[in-house]
Amino acid sequence: MNRHNLKRPLIAIALLALVGSVGAQTYYTHELATKVADKEGAAEQKRPAPDEQSQWDPWSAVHRDMMRMQAEMESLYDQAFHDFYSARFSNPPVTGSISLEEQGDDYVVKADIPGVQESDINISLDGRLLSISAQTSASKQETNAKGQPIEQDRYASSFQEAFTLPGPVNASGMHSQYQDGVLTLTIPKANS
């Protein structure tokens, strides 16, 4: 067999190996996500019944699992740095969690953003897209008896979240309150 006759089968084998490895990676990722969900006491995801088979999309399940695992990893990362800086500074870096509730004719958004001044918080509402961001920084310097710096630490931290509200809103009626590290936004629903 000459070189040119060998090239096509090798390419085909390489493509099959690539497709197989992507499929295996997807399967193992899904299995890992299922095990993590089981370990946390979450309800086990079940495969749809045969009559639902045409509606089941395995990629959406994998995507949902990957997004949940990413959120968990970000939370662990944020908590680790929060603990580290809390030990060194009086105002730790910004971390936040957000909740959204419908209360009558209003959407009420609560964001935990401790350690920032109200003036450091930016809120924007463009249609139904709500964006909240905040930044803070701190520095600490230790000096010796002669007043010379011997240690200096600085950090800057930011928080940013954006999401779409469930329905149309009246942006001009939005009002906010920031108290004890909690930002509360009340956004009236648009009249239909």
Side-chain angles (χ1 to χ4, degrees):
M1 232 181 186
N2 67 24
R3 232 176 163 177
H4 296 292
N5 292 342
L6 191 58
K7 195 174 190 180
R8 265 195 194 138
L10 288 177
I11 292 173
I13 290 171
L15 285 174
L16 284 172
L18 178 64
V19 169
S21 67
V22 168
Q25 184 67 31
T26 303
Y27 172 78
Y28 289 122
T29 302
H30 179 70
E31 289 297 312
L32 176 63
T34 302
K35 287 179 183 179
V36 168
D38 289 345
K39 188 174 183 178
E40 294 172 352
E44 183 176 335
Q45 295 179 357
K46 61 178 185 173
R47 194 156 213 191
D51 60 333
E52 298 173 354
Q53 193 71 24
S54 62
Q55 298 174 355
W56 184 64
D57 181 11
W59 297 110
S60 66
V62 169
H63 181 262
R64 182 180 59 250
D65 292 341
M66 293 298 290
M67 296 307 291
R68 183 183 49 73
M69 288 190 324
Q70 179 182 354
E72 290 173 8
M73 289 174 60
E74 287 175 357
S75 175
L76 290 171
Y77 182 79
D78 289 344
Q79 186 61 44
F81 276 99
H82 182 270
D83 293 345
F84 173 76
Y85 282 110
S86 294
R88 298 200 50 89
F89 297 101
S90 60
N91 54 341
V94 178
T95 59
S97 63
I98 293 184
S99 66
L100 169 68
E101 296 178 8
E102 286 189 52
Q103 293 182 357
D105 293 333
D106 298 323
Y107 294 114
V108 177
V109 177
K110 291 188 178 184
D112 294 330
I113 315 174
V116 299
Q117 301 296 320
E118 188 170 5
S119 60
D120 295 332
I121 300 173
N122 297 311
I123 304 164
S124 101
L125 182 59
D126 183 16
R128 291 175 36 204
L129 180 65
L130 177 65
S131 300
I132 303 170
S133 63
Q135 293 185 348
T136 187
S137 62
S139 64
K140 178 181 174 183
Q141 184 176 26
E142 291 182 22
T143 58
N144 62 15
K146 296 179 183 179
Q148 298 171 330
I150 56 173
E151 182 179 341
Q152 183 171 358
D153 289 326
R154 293 184 185 160
Y155 81 86
S157 177
S158 65
F159 166 81
Q160 185 172 358
E161 190 74 41
F163 57 93
T164 304
L165 295 168
V169 295
N170 177 5
S172 63
M174 177 176 73
H175 63 275
S176 65
Q177 177 185 6
Y178 183 68
Q179 183 176 3
D180 297 328
V182 178
L183 174 68
T184 304
L185 301 173
T186 304
I187 308 164
K189 296 177 184 177
N191 295 333
S192 316

